[in-house]
């Protein structure tokens, strides 16, 4: 089972693709959860606020069925409105310290830190629960993204002592070295939701986490 209880942050972090009908999105996220994803981030940049809220509530209900956590991408107001499990903010998406105060101590707060360790250090001081580095591989979602050195994960574990999330171009065949480097969460979009069997692909990721845990326990 994914480690999604309390604030233990480790496992497959499913980032929702944009442009899907809500019914299709819910079916695919359900498959990812069935396969073992412990965390879902709802990412939707559209301007249809009502639809986004409805979809977020449906995703939250689905996540609760599987004991998983739902975070909202870049929208603190939406996360608060639907009582999501947390929010993930990029560099221009709001003040982290203010978000922590609004969310309270129990909700999850994550921050995009790209390839910038100083940004990660500041994010930790602001109260985040995890930091995200990437792109770790060339990414079709953000092709212009600067590649983040994997040493960031090792430094994060030893110096900051908070979970680190890897994002960008991750596939199940490329994932194992990231775990070895110190990544605690693997944020995946295309390799998960474009797989012919989403549940099986999620299970393959979960198996990597279980194998890595056995190796180092």
């Amino acid at each position: 089972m994914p480690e999604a209880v309390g604030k233990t942050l480790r496992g497959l972090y499913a980032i929702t693709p944009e442009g899907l009908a809500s019914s299709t999105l819910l079916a695919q996220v359900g498959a990812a959860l069935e396969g073992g994803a412990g965390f879902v981030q709802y990412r939707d940049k559209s301007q249809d606020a009502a639809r986004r809220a409805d979809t977020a509530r449906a995703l939250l209900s689905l996540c609760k069925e599987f004991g998983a956590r739902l975070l909202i991408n870049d929208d603190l107001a939406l996360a608060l409105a639907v009582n999501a499990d947390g929010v993930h903010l990029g560099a221009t998406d709001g003040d982290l310290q203010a978000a922590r105060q609004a969310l309270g101590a129990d909700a999850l707060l994550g921050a995009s830190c790209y390839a910038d360790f100083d940004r990660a250090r500041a994010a930790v001081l602001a109260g985040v629960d995890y930091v995200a580095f990437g792109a770790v591989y060339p990414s079709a979602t953000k092709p212009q993204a600067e590649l983040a050195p994997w040493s960031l994960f090792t430094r994060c574990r030893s110096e900051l002592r908070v979970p680190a999330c890897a994002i960008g171009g991750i596939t199940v065949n490329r994932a194992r070295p990231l775990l070895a480097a110190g990544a605690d969460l693997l944020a995946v979009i295309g390799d998960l939701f474009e797989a012919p069997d989403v549940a099986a692909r999620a299970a393959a990721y979960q198996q990597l986490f279980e194998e890595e845990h056995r190796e180092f326990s």
Side-chain angles (χ1 to χ4, degrees):
M1 291 293 293
E3 296 184 42
V5 178
K7 282 199 174 183
T8 301
L9 299 178
R10 185 167 182 78
L12 175 61
Y13 192 177
I15 311 295
T16 63
E18 296 194 59
L20 298 179
S22 293
S23 58
T24 302
L25 177 63
L26 289 168
Q28 291 200 348
V29 170
L33 293 166
E34 182 181 346
F39 308 87
V40 175
Q41 184 183 126
Y42 177 41
R43 176 184 284 178
D44 185 342
K45 304 294 187 181
S46 72
Q47 300 302 310
D48 189 340
R51 184 184 64 80
R52 292 173 69 241
D54 288 344
T55 302
R57 290 188 181 94
L59 286 170
L60 181 60
S61 177
L62 189 58
C63 285
K64 288 184 182 301
E65 289 181 28
F66 288 88
R69 311 290 290 276
L70 176 72
L71 290 87
I72 306 298
N73 174 262
D74 295 353
D75 193 335
L76 175 62
L78 177 59
L80 293 171
V82 303
N83 198 28
D85 296 300
V87 68
H88 181 95
L89 297 178
T92 61
D93 300 311
D95 181 78
L96 291 171
Q97 196 166 18
R100 169 51 71 203
Q101 291 175 348
L103 289 166
D106 294 334
L108 295 175
L109 176 60
S112 295
C113 298
Y114 314 102
D116 188 339
F117 192 77
D118 288 338
R119 181 182 292 276
R121 192 190 307 277
V124 172
L125 290 174
V128 302
D129 295 295
Y130 71 89
V131 294
F133 296 114
V136 291
Y137 292 106
S139 168
T141 303
K142 294 187 177 181
Q144 306 304 318
E146 176 185 359
L147 291 182
W150 296 2
S151 59
L152 290 168
F153 298 104
T154 306
R155 288 190 66 190
C156 186
R157 180 168 288 184
S158 64
E159 298 179 37
L160 301 182
R161 300 183 182 277
V162 299
C165 174
I167 189 168
I170 298 171
T171 69
V172 73
N173 294 326
R174 292 170 160 181
R176 193 184 301 273
L178 293 167
L179 298 182
D184 299 286
L185 294 158
L186 297 179
V188 185
I189 307 174
D191 188 60
L192 177 62
F193 289 108
E194 294 172 11
D197 186 331
V198 174
R201 183 59 52 85
Y205 277 101
Q206 183 61 22
Q207 184 176 353
L208 292 178
F209 281 99
E210 292 171 358
E211 290 173 355
E212 196 261 351
H213 177 74
R214 286 195 296 267
E215 287 178 12
F216 291 95
S217 61

